[in-house]
Amino acid sequence: MTNNENSDDVFMFGDDNDKDPIEKMENPHSDDCNAQSWALTGLLALLFFWLAGIEAGHPIHQLLDSSRIAGPTGVSKSHPASKIIHHATKLIKSTRGCALPCFNVADYGAVPDGVTLATAAINSALDALKAKGSGTLYFPAGEYLTGPFDLLSYTSMVLHDSATLQFVSGTDGVVGKYAGGQIDWPHLPWIEYPAETAYGPHKVHRQLIGGHKLKSVSISGGTIDGGGHFWYEWDEKPNPPNGIHILETDGLTISDITLKNFPKFVLRPQFCKNVAIHRIKIKNSHKSPGTNGIVIDSSEDVVVTESEISTGDKEDAIVVKSGENWFGRARNAPSRNVLVQRCSIRQGHAVSVGSETSGGIYNVKFKGIEFHDAGSMRVKSQRGRGGTVDGVSFEDIRGHNALYALEFYLWYTCKGDKSCEEPGNKTVTPIVKNISVRNVEIHGVSRDVGIIEGLPESPFQGLILENIHVDHANDPWNCHKFKPAATGQEADALLEKR
């Protein structure tokens, strides 16, 4: 628009020979989408948000009802403003759930029948989004069968509430059956993702949804089914793929989505910062091995809130890690500033730190956690890991039918293992300090009330246990090698059941 005094020019939507610019905007890959129509998009978006902030009874909202367009405001249908509102209403209706520019996978050939493979269509939509520079990858209602794919910077992946993204498995005839140590699923060469050096070179199956060195990515809505049952059935584990594995990304949001039946780690932000995980549901079978829920790995400034998680038996529901052994220490990428609050755990271990502590873990708070039929609070590491864990707090924890009330131990997989003998190199010894546990109430513990077991050369330091109530426990506290914060003196004694 220009500053022309003629109102007809100000509200002109192109000449008579042009297509309706709204129609151009509804086709995001149209060659005719010019700068004028995108400027109009911005104007209409501003109008939409302005309207959203006004009370429903305000006269301006009456303009959105065509039967009252000449109502109390006195604005007639012939007024230029009514044309803007008409187009705004059309735009809002056409893009509800898919902010412009919108890349609807159905427009690129995806068929929501749960049978037709949609991977190529999804990648075509992503190619168009990449050319535009940003946008929404949208899945309408229905079931979409797909193989793995990677997201892009400035992408919002949105599933309709009634949409399911179903990942292929051996039973689909797309991925071959596991036999002789081989499986027909794409591998991820270690060298392609140098971020993986924190765990050493190893061949892994490609994650279901990936992304590397991105900015501003979000995933929300609907359901993603990882097809994990195919991977669970093998006695010899075929090193299953991670689920949503995003690496070295600034600005990651996962919200209002259900993630179920994943082959391995469900959601793993690694080497990321500014991560928000809100109101998600994770539903994995009790018999799904290795299916940790949310794995916060060498990431900073992470918030997890109001989520419900069920994982495999004795798998971590929410865990903070930072790399493993020499590779993790060499990478030196800590997890830092993590808040997990108001979450509910239904099976698996509840909330954990470690055992991969090699890059360091600092300032982690678990608050308002509630669990049933699950482990409780864990801090774990072992000789060989190294790294420092400093400043972990557990507050306002409520549980029923726990394995332990808490497990703090630095012998994670070392019992009877000669490789875990006391090392001569102090850099491989983990240091854990300033752990606090406050306001805990647990009803029913099948094993020890709690285990606190540091190393002779590295006891837990600055430990605070305050206002902890546990009933119906089978065994008492089992505590060795720790230094209470109140005294700073090392304790090596078995506490009695209380």
Side-chain angles (χ1 to χ4, degrees):
M1 294 190 300
T2 67
N3 291 326
N4 194 312
E5 293 181 358
N6 187 325
S7 63
D8 290 336
D9 291 334
V10 172
F11 294 100
M12 186 71 67
F13 290 93
D15 59 44
D16 293 338
N17 295 323
D18 282 344
K19 290 182 178 180
D20 188 329
I22 296 296
E23 293 178 4
K24 296 178 183 178
M25 287 184 284
E26 289 172 348
N27 181 7
H29 40 89
S30 170
D31 293 334
D32 296 329
C33 278
N34 54 30
Q36 180 182 11
S37 63
W38 286 110
L40 177 61
T41 303
L43 173 63
L44 295 177
L46 288 173
L47 176 63
F48 170 72
F49 287 116
W50 175 58
L51 289 170
I54 297 176
E55 294 181 0
H58 194 282
I60 193 66
H61 280 287
Q62 297 174 18
L63 287 171
L64 297 178
D65 183 347
S66 59
S67 66
R68 302 178 65 183
I69 196 71
T73 60
V75 180
S76 68
K77 290 184 179 181
S78 63
H79 194 284
S82 70
K83 192 170 186 179
I84 290 182
I85 293 169
H86 166 73
H87 284 289
T89 305
K90 184 178 179 182
L91 179 65
I92 292 166
K93 289 180 178 179
S94 66
T95 62
R96 185 168 292 147
C98 186
L100 293 174
C102 176
F103 300 88
N104 187 327
V105 296
D107 294 339
Y108 296 85
V111 180
D113 59 2
V115 176
T116 306
L117 194 63
T119 315
I122 293 170
N123 283 320
S124 293
L126 285 166
D127 288 342
L129 189 154
K130 183 178 181 179
K132 182 64 65 176
S134 65
T136 302
L137 179 69
Y138 184 64
F139 293 81
E143 183 177 335
Y144 300 86
L145 184 68
T146 183
F149 61 89
D150 286 349
L151 295 178
L152 305 167
S153 289
Y154 307 111
T155 298
S156 295
M157 177 175 148
V158 178
L159 284 74
H160 185 279
D161 288 345
S162 297
T164 296
L165 195 60
Q166 174 68 61
F167 279 87
V168 296
S169 67
T171 57
D172 299 307
V174 179
V175 178
K177 287 286 188 181
Y178 179 63
Q182 298 297 319
I183 187 169
D184 185 19
W185 180 275
H187 282 85
L188 183 68
W190 170 68
I191 198 167
E192 281 190 14
Y193 279 75
E196 286 283 7
T197 55
Y199 288 85
H202 58 286
K203 193 175 184 180
V204 297
H205 288 107
R206 181 178 173 181
Q207 64 270 4
L208 308 185
I209 298 176
H212 186 213
K213 293 186 176 179
L214 307 181
K215 291 185 177 180
S216 300
V217 175
S218 67
I219 302 174
S220 63
T223 298
I224 299 178
D225 189 319
H229 295 293
F230 167 68
W231 301 88
Y232 304 156
E233 65 185 75
W234 310 110
D235 293 332
E236 180 188 354
K237 291 181 66 174
N239 192 15
N242 285 309
I244 301 173
H245 190 182
I246 307 296
L247 299 103
E248 295 188 302
T249 291
D250 185 355
L252 172 64
T253 301
I254 314 289
S255 62
D256 299 294
I257 190 168
T258 297
L259 308 172
K260 66 179 186 179
N261 303 325
F262 273 58
K264 195 178 178 182
F265 296 172
V266 177
L267 175 56
R268 186 183 187 187
Q270 185 178 19
F271 305 107
C272 294
K273 57 183 178 180
N274 300 315
V275 178
I277 300 169
H278 182 57
R279 276 202 312 260
I280 73 169
K281 293 182 179 180
I282 293 177
K283 299 179 179 180
N284 271 8
S285 164
H286 183 70
K287 295 183 179 180
S288 57
T291 56
N292 288 359
I294 300 173
V295 180
I296 301 162
D297 198 345
S298 293
S299 293
E300 300 187 8
D301 302 320
V302 180
V303 177
V304 181
T305 59
E306 298 179 17
S307 296
E308 300 177 13
I309 303 173
S310 297
T311 63
D313 183 33
K314 299 181 182 178
E315 305 296 344
D316 291 324
I318 304 174
V319 61
V320 183
K321 302 175 180 287
S322 67
E324 184 178 58
N325 299 351
W326 183 90
F327 293 96
R329 295 193 299 275
R331 175 80 189 208
N332 192 30
S335 281
R336 191 192 310 271
N337 303 332
V338 177
L339 173 63
V340 178
Q341 64 178 359
R342 298 192 301 277
C343 292
S344 176
I345 315 299
R346 284 296 176 266
Q347 64 187 29
H349 284 297
V351 289
S352 300
V353 171
S355 73
E356 294 86 347
T357 60
S358 304
I361 296 174
Y362 306 94
N363 191 26
V364 176
K365 174 178 277 192
F366 299 98
K367 183 177 176 63
I369 308 299
E370 179 262 343
F371 65 89
H372 290 262
D373 302 316
S376 181
M377 301 160 280
R378 299 207 293 175
V379 176
K380 48 186 175 165
S381 190
Q382 66 185 53
R383 288 170 174 162
R385 295 282 196 258
T388 297
V389 177
D390 187 356
V392 177
S393 67
F394 302 88
E395 296 182 12
D396 303 330
I397 311 296
R398 301 289 179 269
H400 298 267
N401 302 327
L403 194 62
Y404 303 92
L406 59 85
E407 299 175 84
F408 297 167
Y409 50 101
L410 303 183
W411 298 87
Y412 180 51
T413 61
C414 287
K415 293 291 186 180
D417 186 346
K418 290 185 178 180
S419 66
C420 287
E421 292 179 352
E422 184 172 352
N425 182 357
K426 291 185 178 180
T427 63
V428 305
T429 299
I431 298 171
V432 181
K433 57 186 178 180
N434 301 320
I435 311 297
S436 64
V437 182
R438 292 184 171 93
N439 304 327
V440 174
E441 184 175 335
I442 299 176
H443 302 287
V445 173
S446 61
R447 296 187 183 176
D448 297 352
V449 172
I451 294 177
I452 302 173
E453 191 167 359
L455 295 169
E457 69 275 17
S458 182
F460 284 96
Q461 304 174 37
L463 183 62
I464 298 174
L465 304 179
E466 183 179 293
N467 195 24
I468 298 175
H469 299 272
V470 179
D471 60 31
H472 297 93
N474 283 338
D475 294 298
W477 289 87
N478 187 353
C479 304
H480 302 271
K481 301 299 179 185
F482 65 98
K483 293 181 179 180
T487 65
Q489 301 298 312
E490 182 174 329
D492 188 358
L494 179 67
L495 274 66
E496 294 182 358
K497 183 176 179 179
R498 299 183 60 184

